[in-house]
Amino acid sequence: MFQWCCCSQDRGGRFPEKTTMSQVSSFVSFDRAAQNVTYIGDVEGDWNNFCNYVDHSRGLTFGMNEEQHESRRLPEHLELRLEDGWHFVFGGDAWDKGLGTLRVLDTMVRAKKHWPSRVHLLFGNRDLNRMGWIGELADRDVDTTPVKGLDLWGEHPDVNAAVDGEFECRRYELAQLQNVEVEEITDEDVRESYADCLKQGGYFSEYLERSQIAILLGDNLFVDGQVVALESMPGVDEDEERMRSWLEDLNDWARCKAAEQSLITSWDPAPSPPPPGERLSSTDDAEQGQYTVFISKSAHCSKLGLDTEARHSDVHLTIKNIHASGLIATWNSRHGSGAVKAGDKLISANGVSGMANNFKSVVTTGKHLNLLLQRAEYAK
């Protein structure tokens, strides 16, 4: 059985001088006997999407139940349970766009420590590009790959640019994890969080140390952000020993590169806050008129201060009126072009979307809110 889902980002420094036998044995490159695999990739820091995937996975669950996934902030809330006989493959691209990068990395590392031979953390194509490995990987692999029909190691130079909104996403997540107001997290707190990720034992460093490039489980190859059923691919070398050797060579090379990467102590480009009033959205979102609002309820102010309406079949809430006081009015006073306007559509709240009633309760009960909206003139 093969189940997959593809969703659409304190602890890091040196590797140990010597690699222990326990570390070596924790990397599996080739297991033709594996039958049950649950897979997800391209999470990119979207904690709610990852939690929704776990909710629907047959082989993976959280060890503790929580009504609201955004409430998962304590270590015991991040522990996964992997069913006997199952493998979990995380296809990479874990961070940098969503509101849960730290929790995603922490959860993956915890799972790998618990089930080192059945949890497999891979580098995705975006990871390989951002770390500058992709060109070297393509050059060295051109004559050795036994899967000639695959388009591997594609270069995407644009991924090296800072991700729009990433800095504010980190601020928001720190507020959630510390259970404080977003306004209490300073720019320096956010910068320090990024620096801590690279230090010995940091989130990114721990994840980097335990990741690999590729694995073959059963008849399925997981590599470069792709999942490939070998029997459906022309040009695949049927020599199992050659396939095993290729995979082990890739993963050995990756461990050497990871050791080099662990010596890096600063981010390039360095994370920085957006200019005041600049709305946070990706290029694709901006082209669709979408923008993001981050707000945090407090004892002093817990009301959004707006009126909405929705027909039964609507997949959004329409903003009808914005009150003179409330969290949205406060947001508007600080974000010129990113201000919420009457007529705009509320598309999702904390990653929850679908029928309007599905996420209306999130807006009502959530303390920290990440709201995705769309300008009225772009809405259909």
Side-chain angles (χ1 to χ4, degrees), residues 341-372:
K341 301 177 182 178
D344 291 353
K345 312 296 182 183
L346 178 57
I347 306 300
S348 70
N350 289 352
V352 176
S353 59
M355 300 300 290
N357 287 336
N358 291 351
F359 59 88
K360 195 170 184 178
S361 62
V362 177
V363 175
T364 304
T365 61
K367 178 179 179 181
H368 302 290
L369 296 175
N370 167 34
L371 307 178
L372 178 63

Side-chain angles (χ1 to χ4, degrees), residues 64-65 68 86 109 188 269 271 279 339 346 364 377:
M64 292 183 63
N65 291 326
Q68 297 277 345
W86 281 80
V109 169
E188 187 54 38
R279 75 186 187 188
L346 178 57
T364 304
E377 59 267 29

Side-chain angles (χ1 to χ4, degrees), residues 13-301:
R14 287 188 63 98
F15 259 38
E17 293 298 326
K18 252 171 109 177
T19 303
T20 66
M21 287 302 294
S22 62
Q23 287 173 311
V24 172
S25 63
S26 70
F27 287 93
V28 176
S29 298
F30 187 94
D31 185 356
R32 294 304 297 267
Q35 295 183 355
N36 300 321
V37 180
T38 182
Y39 168 86
I40 187 172
D42 294 331
V43 172
E44 297 180 341
D46 191 329
W47 177 244
N48 281 291
N49 271 354
F50 175 72
C51 291
N52 290 336
Y53 151 74
V54 174
D55 287 344
H56 293 89
S57 171
R58 295 182 59 184
L60 200 64
T61 57
F62 279 109
M64 292 183 63
N65 291 326
E66 280 290 322
E67 291 186 10
Q68 297 277 345
H69 286 313
E70 70 169 27
S71 300
R72 294 188 179 276
R73 54 188 179 83
L74 299 177
E76 56 266 31
H77 296 156
L78 306 181
E79 298 286 353
L80 295 171
R81 181 183 295 120
L82 183 62
E83 298 296 327
D84 291 343
W86 281 80
H87 289 257
F88 170 41
V89 178
F90 185 73
D93 297 344
W95 62 86
D96 84 9
K97 287 187 178 181
L99 302 171
T101 287
L102 300 180
R103 280 168 291 181
V104 170
L105 294 176
D106 195 2
T107 299
M108 296 305 104
V109 169
R110 289 173 182 275
K112 182 66 176 177
K113 288 179 177 179
H114 278 242
W115 302 280
S117 62
R118 294 196 293 130
V119 171
H120 317 286
L121 310 181
L122 305 187
F123 294 113
N125 183 270
R126 185 178 179 85
D127 301 330
L128 297 172
N129 271 274
R130 289 200 78 177
M131 292 186 292
W133 297 3
I134 203 75
E136 184 178 347
L137 189 56
D139 290 341
R140 75 183 301 279
D141 193 47
V142 65
D143 296 320
T144 60
T145 175
V147 283
K148 301 297 185 183
L150 278 185
D151 181 19
L152 296 178
W153 326 129
E155 293 196 59
H156 302 286
D158 58 304
V159 303
N160 293 319
V163 177
D164 194 13
E166 181 181 0
F167 194 90
E168 292 304 305
C169 284
R170 178 61 60 87
R171 188 197 309 275
Y172 181 95
E173 183 176 18
L174 290 173
Q176 285 187 308
L177 294 176
Q178 298 175 29
N179 199 26
V180 300
E181 310 303 330
V182 172
E183 291 77 12
E184 296 181 51
I185 304 298
T186 67
D187 290 351
E188 187 54 38
D189 291 333
V190 179
R191 293 190 183 96
E192 184 177 345
S193 169
Y194 279 100
D196 286 345
C197 282
L198 294 176
K199 293 177 181 177
Q200 183 76 41
Y203 288 115
F204 180 76
S205 175
E206 293 260 297
Y207 180 84
L208 184 70
E209 181 179 344
R210 291 167 174 81
S211 295
Q212 59 193 87
I213 288 183
I215 187 171
L216 181 72
L217 295 174
D219 293 323
N220 296 298
L221 174 66
F222 301 82
V223 60
D224 196 36
Q226 303 180 53
V227 184
V228 183
L230 295 186
E231 61 184 15
S232 67
M233 280 215 51
V236 173
D237 195 315
E238 296 182 359
D239 184 338
E240 284 198 359
E241 284 307 310
R242 185 176 177 218
M243 175 69 76
R244 184 195 301 269
S245 177
W246 174 67
L247 291 168
E248 291 176 348
D249 181 60
L250 277 179
N251 292 329
D252 286 344
W253 177 85
R255 282 195 283 278
C256 291
K257 295 297 291 185
E260 296 174 9
Q261 193 82 21
S262 68
L263 301 176
I264 298 174
T265 59
S266 62
W267 295 90
D268 183 18
S272 60
E278 182 176 291
R279 75 186 187 188
L280 309 177
S281 61
S282 69
T283 301
D284 290 342
D285 287 345
E287 290 176 353
Q288 300 174 35
Q290 295 183 359
Y291 63 104
T292 305
V293 170
F294 300 93
I295 54 177
S296 183
K297 298 177 184 177
S298 68
H300 305 291
C301 186

Side-chain angles (χ1 to χ4, degrees), residues 304-310 317-324 328 340-344 346 360:
L304 268 65
L306 49 77
D307 301 318
T308 64
E309 70 171 6
L317 293 173
T318 300
I319 311 297
K320 298 300 294 181
N321 179 52
I322 299 170
H323 302 175
I328 296 298
V340 180
K341 301 177 182 178
D344 291 353
L346 178 57
K360 195 170 184 178

